[in-house]
Each structure stands twice: as structure tokens, then as C-alpha cells.
Amino acid sequence: MGGSASARRVCADHRGGINWLSLSPDGQRLLTGSEDGTARLWSTADGRCCALLQGHESYVTFCQLEDASAFTCSADCTIRRWDVVSGRCVQVYRGHTSIVNRILVVENQLFSSSYDRTARAWTVEQGQVTREFRGHRNCVLPLAYAARQDALAAPGPETAAAGGLLVTGSTDGTARVWRVASGCCHQTLRGHTGAVLCLLLDVPGHTAFTGSTDATVRAWDILSGQQLRVFREHQGSIICLELTDRLLYSGSADRTVKCWLADTGEPLHTFPAHGHSVSALKYHAGTLFTGSGDACARAFDARSGVLQRVFRGHALVINCLQVHGQLLFTASHDGALRLWDVRGLLGPPPPARRPAATRSLSLSRLFSNKVSCAATLPLQPA
């Protein structure tokens, strides 16, 4: 068993649970979004709160931090853009008619998903809706994007990828691939028998990985819509995914993480030791960090699965993890952001066999019961 660690700093300024934690591209700032309806900017150097972002009329569900702007979305049906220096709100994006679950900012485009069963594309500067993606029969949760040039790196129909491809997952049990340029659905990925809670893209391989309440992970060709393989070992909902160096990690409500060969679906390792559902995953420099409903974070050797360290101190589920330099940042539903020293854990990462652009989006609010799939009807096999 791994040893325990004490927090280097505890930041408890929020008056409600923290639902998401985002790290700026330059690694200098963190952004937290909270149940208290606010977001906060923090320095990664010392954990100091740099700005309080106030304006939402309900809890903040998700956030993304860029170098010059912070983006937040909320149960008040809006998205906001903030200046990171002044903390001033510079744009409000209005149009969704229910809770905004996720946002994704890429290539000067803003994408969003909502309980209103739609995803939308917006202009970042003007705040105007440019596309509405309609077709899901229930709320839309995770989002991922493949740029046009990346999607066309492999053989496939060029017209499908013009303008890029947006992939969405829904509690209706499907994922959909959308043509951003036209707003049309290019493929519907059918096969799951439960809600799709998380997804990520291996863009060079034009492959989507989806995790579901049906306890499976599935791999799909996003150009053809073909289901490539099914990962069956878990005994509970798949809550989060991480992909690195052709290894896929899945965190589950069955209290384990599993490591798979992404290209074959072969299971390699099981990471036990969690006392509750695994709610967050982050791979960094050969170490796999996990967050759990048991209020602990853990560090495992990513290759062998050996537990190296346990981080205790939170009182409730850990919703998100980030790593920068020699620090681990954990955000919890107890309202605290904690900074942990991870020196002695991190080694050089193994050389990548193939570059991969991935994005892992987990349904951390499954535990706070506001953005959950508890109310969805049972799904029949597609």
C-alpha cells in the first residue's frame, strides 16, 4: 500500500462544492466553478485567489480557462466569458433553455451542451449562435472536437470533416458526430444501453471512446460510424476516461480503474483500493492520479498499477484533478481546493508511439445529483 500525504495548502474560499477545475494553457492559473454560483481564479505558484467571478444566477456546472479569458457555464442557462486580469464579465451567451452542462473552447469557437437536448456553436467574440445541433432525445453531456485538418489526416470522406467534427454524448444512450460547418448529424453511434457519461477522441486515429452507465467503454470510427470494439470488464457505470500512449484508462462506479490496450480492447491492469466510485482521472509523467467518492486522491504507477500514495483531507467526493509541475490540485464537493506536493512520484513519461490529441470529460456531478441520469428511462439495446 502507498503512503499518505498532507496538503501543502487548503483554499476554502468557495461557499459551495467545486464542480470543475481547469488549468490555463501556460500553467499559471487555475479556474474553479462552484455550487455557490461563482468561479474563482487561483495562482498555481502559491494557491492565492486572484479574482472572484460573480454574475451567474445559479450554480456553475463547468469551466474552461484560456490564457486571456475564463469561460463558465451554469444552471442559469447561460455561458459567460471573463477577462482573467480584471475578473470582469465581458460576454454573456444566451440561447439555451435549460442547464448548460459542458463547454468547449477551441479554434475561436465555443461549443456547449445542455439539458435542453441540444448542443450549440457560438462565436467567441460576438456571442452569437452559429449552429444548433438537434437530434438527441435527452440531455447532452460530454463534448469533443476534431479540427478539419486532423479529421482529414486519415482516409475518409472530405466533405464530412469540412469545418471540423463535433462529437456529443447523451443520456439517450447515443453519441453523435456532427458536421460543424452545416450543423448536420454525420453519424449516430448506437450500441450503448445506458447514458453516455464521458467521451474522448483519439483524433489521429479518428476514433471516439465513450463510457456509459451500461458498464462498458466502446470505440467508434467517427467518420464511418462503425463500432470498433467493446471494453467489457467493469461492474458499474463508466464515469471518466483518460488516454495516453495507446493505453486507455477508465474510472468506474465499481470502485476501480482499468487499463486497456486502446487498439485491441485487451485489459492489462485493474487499479483497486478505492472506497467509492472513481470520479476523476489524470495521467501525468508516468503516474495515474485518481479522485474518488471516498474523498481521497491516489497516485498509481500508470504501467504496473502499484499504489504509490494516498492524499487524504477532503470531506466529500473529489470532482476534478489537475497536475502542474510538482503539485497536484484537487477540487471537491466539500468546497475546498487542495494543493499537494507530488515530488518523488513523477518520472519522465514514456515516449509516445504516436501523437494523440485527446480530451477526457467526466461526469463528476453524478455525485451531486443535479446533472445525473437518474431520471432517464431505461434504454433498449440499439
Side-chain angles (χ1 to χ4, degrees):
M1 297 293 288
S4 295
S6 299
R8 178 170 167 178
R9 185 181 178 100
V10 180
C11 309
D13 300 39
H14 279 297
R15 297 183 179 275
I18 299 174
N19 293 323
W20 201 254
L21 171 65
S22 179
L23 179 68
S24 64
D26 63 10
Q28 301 303 303
R29 296 183 179 91
L30 290 163
L31 174 66
T32 52
S34 172
E35 291 283 312
D36 64 13
T38 72
R40 287 177 181 265
L41 285 164
W42 312 82
S43 166
T44 56
D46 56 12
R48 178 178 56 88
C49 182
C50 307
L52 171 64
L53 312 182
Q54 293 180 296
H56 281 297
E57 298 177 1
S58 189
Y59 58 89
V60 178
T61 54
F62 194 82
C63 57
Q64 182 175 333
L65 184 54
E66 297 298 310
D67 285 329
S69 298
F71 296 82
T72 57
C73 60
S74 169
D76 67 8
C77 309
T78 72
I79 304 160
R80 289 177 177 254
R81 178 165 62 94
W82 314 79
D83 181 86
V84 298
V85 176
S86 67
R88 183 174 62 91
C89 180
V90 294
Q91 188 72 56
V92 181
Y93 306 80
R94 304 181 191 275
H96 280 297
T97 58
S98 190
I99 299 168
V100 184
N101 293 321
R102 292 288 183 268
I103 50 175
L104 174 61
V105 183
V106 61
E107 293 190 341
N108 204 35
Q109 298 179 94
L110 169 63
F111 298 100
S112 58
S113 66
S114 171
Y115 249 87
D116 65 13
R117 305 183 182 187
T118 72
R120 300 182 187 223
W122 315 71
T123 56
V124 171
E125 294 298 327
Q126 291 78 28
Q128 297 175 338
V129 176
T130 59
R131 291 286 182 270
E132 291 187 19
F133 306 95
R134 295 183 177 272
H136 282 297
R137 295 181 290 107
N138 215 321
C139 72
V140 187
L141 294 173
L143 297 164
Y145 174 77
R148 179 181 184 274
Q149 61 269 25
D150 293 329
L152 293 179
E158 292 198 6
T159 54
L165 297 174
L166 179 70
V167 185
T168 57
S170 170
T171 57
D172 67 10
T174 70
R176 287 179 178 254
V177 183
W178 308 86
R179 303 177 187 179
V180 173
S182 66
C184 295
C185 182
H186 172 61
Q187 298 290 350
T188 300
L189 311 181
R190 304 181 191 275
H192 283 297
T193 58
V196 176
L197 303 185
C198 52
L199 70 84
L200 56 78
L201 293 182
D202 172 22
V203 177
H206 55 95
T207 303
F209 296 90
T210 55
S212 169
T213 57
D214 67 9
T216 70
V217 178
R218 294 171 191 252
W220 315 81
D221 185 304
I222 61 173
L223 297 181
S224 69
Q226 178 186 3
Q227 180 175 285
L228 302 175
R229 64 196 67 91
V230 182
F231 303 73
R232 303 180 191 272
E233 287 284 335
H234 281 294
Q235 304 300 311
S237 298
I238 311 301
I239 298 168
C240 45
L241 295 169
E242 185 84 332
L243 178 65
T244 183
D245 193 32
R246 312 313 308 150
L247 296 177
L248 179 69
Y249 299 90
S250 54
S252 172
D254 68 9
R255 306 184 181 191
T256 71
V257 175
K258 291 186 182 291
C259 175
W260 319 76
L261 286 177
D263 297 326
T264 66
E266 177 187 350
L268 296 180
H269 299 292
T270 297
F271 301 68
H274 304 93
H276 205 284
S277 302
V278 179
S279 48
L281 292 173
K282 177 63 68 174
Y283 173 90
H284 185 77
T287 298
L288 184 70
F289 296 93
T290 67
S292 173
D294 64 12
C296 293
R298 292 172 173 83
F300 296 87
D301 182 279
R303 289 283 181 172
S304 68
V306 173
L307 178 63
Q308 297 177 310
R309 197 171 297 176
V310 181
F311 305 89
R312 294 184 174 91
H314 284 294
L316 294 172
V317 56
I318 294 173
N319 285 332
C320 198
L321 307 166
Q322 293 289 348
V323 183
H324 177 66
Q326 298 293 323
L327 289 175
L328 168 68
F329 303 89
T330 58
S332 168
H333 205 65
D334 65 10
L337 169 68
R338 288 177 178 253
L339 287 64
W340 313 82
D341 192 325
V342 294
R343 283 178 294 184
L345 281 177
L346 305 178
R353 298 188 186 96
R354 184 175 72 182
T358 67
R359 185 176 185 89
S360 178
L361 299 175
S362 64
L363 185 68
S364 54
R365 286 185 58 81
L366 186 67
F367 298 97
S368 57
N369 211 27
K370 286 195 175 103
V371 180
S372 71
C373 53
T376 59
L377 297 175
L379 299 167
Q380 299 302 315

